Amino acid sequence: LIGHDGPVETVIFTPDGKYCLTGGHDRTVRLWNPFRYDPALPMSQAHSAERPPPAMPIQTYTSGYTHAITSVTTTESRTAGQVI
């Protein structure tokens, strides 16, 4: 995944499989759509036969984290998903 400043420590998909949450050594939690490529990247970098297109970043959560993120979880909600 392009976007974390350092190693990715944890990856989890939402229960419906539509989104992916990652936590990193950079103390951020990121929400991704793994089924869409990032239109900000030039097409030459977007994908090749050996590498699928990178996931599209949706949101970055940074406030209040003082240590590397080593675990992420999700909950199901009738109105919206929640990042914990």
Side-chain angles (χ1 to χ4, degrees), residues 46-63:
H47 60 81
S48 66
E50 298 85 34
R51 191 169 96 181
M56 183 172 176
I58 297 173
Q59 179 74 39
T60 301
Y61 304 92
T62 60
S63 62

Side-chain angles (χ1 to χ4, degrees), residues 20-83:
C20 175
L21 287 161
T22 58
H25 205 82
D26 59 358
R27 300 185 310 269
T28 63
V29 175
R30 295 179 185 263
L31 175 65
W32 308 85
N33 180 338
F35 300 105
R36 293 191 58 199
Y37 79 93
D38 187 350
L41 294 176
M43 283 306 290
S44 62
Q45 292 180 9
H47 60 81
S48 66
E50 298 85 34
R51 191 169 96 181
M56 183 172 176
I58 297 173
Q59 179 74 39
T60 301
Y61 304 92
T62 60
S63 62
Y65 305 120
T66 58
H67 293 61
I69 307 297
T70 58
S71 181
V72 179
T73 189
T74 63
T75 62
E76 270 191 274
S77 170
R78 291 184 183 161
T79 57
Q82 297 177 352
V83 176

Side-chain angles (χ1 to χ4, degrees), residues 2 19 39 42 46:
I2 298 170
Y19 300 99

